[in-house]
Amino acid sequence: MGRIHGAFGVRGELKLESFSDPPEAIFRYRPWILRDADGGERELEGGHGRSTAKGIVMRLPGVEDRDAAEAMRGSEILVPRAALPPPKPGEYYWVDLEGLRVVNTEGVDFGRVSHLFSTGANDVLVARGERERMIPFVEPDYIVSVDFDTGVVMVDWDADF
Protein backbone atom coordinates (compact mmCIF):
# COMPACT_ATOMS: atom_id res chain seq x y z
CA MET A 1 0.00 0.00 0.00
CA GLY A 2 2.94 2.32 0.53
CA ARG A 3 6.66 2.82 0.96
CA ILE A 4 8.59 5.01 3.39
CA HIS A 5 11.08 7.29 1.64
CA GLY A 6 12.83 8.71 4.68
CA ALA A 7 12.62 11.52 7.18
CA PHE A 8 10.56 14.68 6.86
CA GLY A 9 12.00 17.30 9.16
CA VAL A 10 13.73 16.61 12.47
CA ARG A 11 10.87 15.43 14.71
CA GLY A 12 10.45 11.87 13.43
CA GLU A 13 7.93 12.47 10.67
CA LEU A 14 8.22 10.28 7.58
CA LYS A 15 7.80 10.84 3.84
CA LEU A 16 5.36 8.24 2.53
CA GLU A 17 4.69 7.12 -1.02
CA SER A 18 1.09 5.88 -1.02
CA PHE A 19 -0.17 3.51 -3.71
CA SER A 20 -3.82 4.08 -2.83
CA ASP A 21 -6.13 6.35 -4.79
CA PRO A 22 -6.43 8.99 -3.48
CA PRO A 23 -3.08 8.77 -1.67
CA GLU A 24 -4.60 9.79 1.69
CA ALA A 25 -6.85 6.71 1.60
CA ILE A 26 -3.95 4.63 2.92
CA PHE A 27 -4.87 5.85 6.42
CA ARG A 28 -8.34 4.21 6.15
CA TYR A 29 -6.94 0.68 6.07
CA ARG A 30 -5.98 -1.22 9.21
CA PRO A 31 -4.02 -3.02 10.47
CA TRP A 32 -0.77 -1.99 8.86
CA ILE A 33 2.07 -4.46 8.51
CA LEU A 34 5.50 -2.81 8.29
CA ARG A 35 8.04 -4.80 6.24
CA ASP A 36 11.57 -3.51 6.75
CA ALA A 37 14.39 -3.67 4.20
CA ASP A 38 15.54 -7.03 5.62
CA GLY A 39 12.10 -8.60 5.16
CA GLY A 40 11.14 -8.50 8.84
CA GLU A 41 7.47 -7.74 9.47
CA ARG A 42 5.55 -6.31 12.40
CA GLU A 43 2.06 -5.02 12.89
CA LEU A 44 1.66 -1.28 13.49
CA GLU A 45 -1.06 0.60 15.31
CA GLY A 46 -1.53 4.32 15.62
CA GLY A 47 0.03 5.57 12.37
CA HIS A 48 -1.50 8.78 11.08
CA GLY A 49 -0.62 11.44 8.55
CA ARG A 50 -1.53 14.32 6.33
CA SER A 51 -1.21 15.50 2.78
CA THR A 52 1.23 18.33 2.12
CA ALA A 53 2.43 20.15 -0.98
CA LYS A 54 5.41 17.76 -0.97
CA GLY A 55 3.31 14.58 -0.63
CA ILE A 56 2.11 12.44 2.25
CA VAL A 57 3.76 12.93 5.63
CA MET A 58 3.09 10.53 8.47
CA ARG A 59 3.97 9.83 12.05
CA LEU A 60 4.41 6.41 13.66
CA PRO A 61 4.52 5.59 17.38
CA GLY A 62 8.09 5.25 18.65
CA VAL A 63 9.64 7.26 15.81
CA GLU A 64 10.67 10.42 17.64
CA ASP A 65 13.59 11.92 15.70
CA ARG A 66 15.18 12.22 12.28
CA ASP A 67 17.61 9.32 12.86
CA ALA A 68 14.77 6.93 13.75
CA ALA A 69 12.82 8.12 10.70
CA GLU A 70 15.81 7.66 8.36
CA ALA A 71 16.30 4.12 9.69
CA MET A 72 12.86 3.29 8.28
CA ARG A 73 13.74 4.34 4.72
CA GLY A 74 12.68 1.68 2.23
CA SER A 75 10.20 -0.01 4.56
CA GLU A 76 6.91 -1.02 2.98
CA ILE A 77 3.43 -0.66 4.43
CA LEU A 78 1.19 -3.64 3.75
CA VAL A 79 -2.42 -4.35 4.68
CA PRO A 80 -4.26 -7.67 4.72
CA ARG A 81 -6.30 -8.30 1.58
CA ALA A 82 -9.42 -8.60 3.74
CA ALA A 83 -8.99 -4.94 4.78
CA LEU A 84 -9.45 -3.76 1.18
CA PRO A 85 -12.83 -3.24 -0.47
CA PRO A 86 -13.60 -5.64 -3.30
CA PRO A 87 -12.69 -4.20 -6.70
CA LYS A 88 -15.53 -2.91 -8.85
CA PRO A 89 -16.45 -4.81 -12.01
CA GLY A 90 -13.70 -4.33 -14.61
CA GLU A 91 -11.21 -3.20 -11.95
CA TYR A 92 -8.52 -5.15 -10.10
CA TYR A 93 -5.70 -4.67 -7.69
CA TRP A 94 -2.15 -4.75 -9.05
CA VAL A 95 -1.38 -7.73 -6.87
CA ASP A 96 -4.13 -9.66 -8.71
CA LEU A 97 -2.16 -9.27 -11.95
CA GLU A 98 1.15 -10.54 -10.58
CA GLY A 99 1.93 -14.00 -11.89
CA LEU A 100 -0.45 -13.85 -14.87
CA ARG A 101 1.03 -14.77 -18.26
CA VAL A 102 1.59 -11.90 -20.70
CA VAL A 103 0.97 -12.68 -24.37
CA ASN A 104 0.95 -10.25 -27.28
CA THR A 105 -1.71 -10.17 -30.00
CA GLU A 106 0.57 -12.20 -32.27
CA GLY A 107 0.78 -15.02 -29.71
CA VAL A 108 4.31 -14.31 -28.44
CA ASP A 109 4.65 -15.25 -24.76
CA PHE A 110 6.42 -12.47 -22.81
CA GLY A 111 6.54 -14.39 -19.54
CA ARG A 112 4.66 -13.43 -16.41
CA VAL A 113 3.68 -10.19 -14.71
CA SER A 114 6.44 -9.49 -12.21
CA HIS A 115 5.03 -6.26 -10.82
CA LEU A 116 3.58 -2.89 -11.77
CA PHE A 117 4.73 0.62 -10.94
CA SER A 118 3.55 4.15 -11.50
CA THR A 119 5.50 6.77 -13.41
CA GLY A 120 3.10 9.61 -12.76
CA ALA A 121 2.13 9.77 -16.43
CA ASN A 122 0.84 6.18 -16.49
CA ASP A 123 1.28 2.84 -14.81
CA VAL A 124 3.73 0.28 -16.20
CA LEU A 125 3.38 -3.50 -16.29
CA VAL A 126 6.67 -5.41 -15.98
CA ALA A 127 6.69 -8.79 -17.74
CA ARG A 128 9.59 -11.16 -17.10
CA GLY A 129 10.30 -14.08 -19.38
CA GLU A 130 13.37 -14.65 -21.51
CA ARG A 131 13.91 -10.94 -20.87
CA GLU A 132 12.19 -8.10 -19.06
CA ARG A 133 9.66 -5.90 -20.86
CA MET A 134 8.03 -2.76 -19.53
CA ILE A 135 4.63 -2.13 -21.08
CA PRO A 136 2.57 1.02 -20.40
CA PHE A 137 -0.62 -0.02 -18.64
CA VAL A 138 -2.87 1.91 -21.00
CA GLU A 139 -6.16 0.22 -21.86
CA PRO A 140 -7.06 -0.59 -24.60
CA ASP A 141 -4.05 0.85 -26.46
CA TYR A 142 -1.43 -1.54 -25.06
CA ILE A 143 -3.32 -3.67 -22.54
CA VAL A 144 -5.95 -5.35 -24.70
CA SER A 145 -7.53 -7.59 -22.06
CA VAL A 146 -7.08 -9.15 -18.66
CA ASP A 147 -8.59 -12.63 -18.36
CA PHE A 148 -8.41 -14.10 -14.88
CA ASP A 149 -10.13 -17.32 -16.00
CA THR A 150 -7.26 -18.16 -18.39
CA GLY A 151 -4.62 -16.27 -16.38
CA VAL A 152 -3.57 -14.15 -19.38
CA VAL A 153 -2.95 -10.46 -19.95
CA MET A 154 -3.20 -9.80 -23.72
CA VAL A 155 -1.04 -6.90 -24.89
CA ASP A 156 -0.61 -5.04 -28.14
CA TRP A 157 3.16 -4.76 -27.87
CA ASP A 158 5.88 -5.56 -30.39
CA ALA A 159 7.99 -8.56 -29.37
CA ASP A 160 11.15 -6.67 -30.35
CA PHE A 161 10.55 -3.85 -27.83
Side-chain angles (χ1 to χ4, degrees):
M1 291 295 299
R3 182 174 297 118
I4 297 173
H5 283 285
F8 182 85
V10 296
R11 295 190 177 123
E13 289 185 303
L14 301 154
K15 294 184 282 187
L16 172 66
E17 177 184 12
S18 171
F19 303 132
S20 61
D21 185 21
E24 300 83 15
I26 193 170
F27 297 108
R28 289 187 219 149
Y29 306 112
R30 301 288 177 196
W32 281 3
I33 308 299
L34 183 72
R35 179 183 294 156
D36 63 31
D38 296 326
E41 294 182 0
R42 65 183 168 107
E43 190 169 313
L44 291 176
E45 292 293 333
H48 61 280
R50 66 188 190 283
S51 186
T52 71
K54 294 184 177 187
I56 303 291
V57 174
M58 67 181 235
R59 186 172 273 294
L60 294 175
V63 181
E64 304 298 330
D65 61 31
R66 184 172 186 85
D67 291 338
E70 277 300 325
M72 299 190 74
R73 180 184 298 270
S75 295
E76 297 177 299
I77 295 174
L78 314 171
V79 297
R81 177 64 182 251
L84 301 174
K88 297 174 185 164
E91 293 183 352
Y92 26 81
Y93 290 110
W94 283 4
V95 69
D96 296 338
L97 301 175
E98 292 175 4
L100 296 181
R101 283 191 17 220
V102 180
V103 179
N104 78 356
T105 54
E106 296 162 355
V108 178
D109 191 324
F110 288 172
R112 297 199 174 269
V113 177
S114 166
H115 63 283
L116 291 96
F117 64 92
S118 181
T119 65
N122 54 266
D123 299 330
V124 175
L125 179 145
V126 179
R128 287 194 180 140
E130 80 282 351
R131 65 184 181 98
E132 185 176 87
R133 290 181 172 88
M134 290 186 250
I135 304 165
F137 201 92
V138 179
E139 296 177 283
D141 298 344
Y142 304 118
I143 306 297
V144 176
S145 65
V146 175
D147 187 336
F148 289 103
D149 293 333
T150 62
V152 173
V153 177
M154 179 70 63
V155 298
D156 187 0
W157 197 251
D158 190 300
D160 293 330
F161 283 168

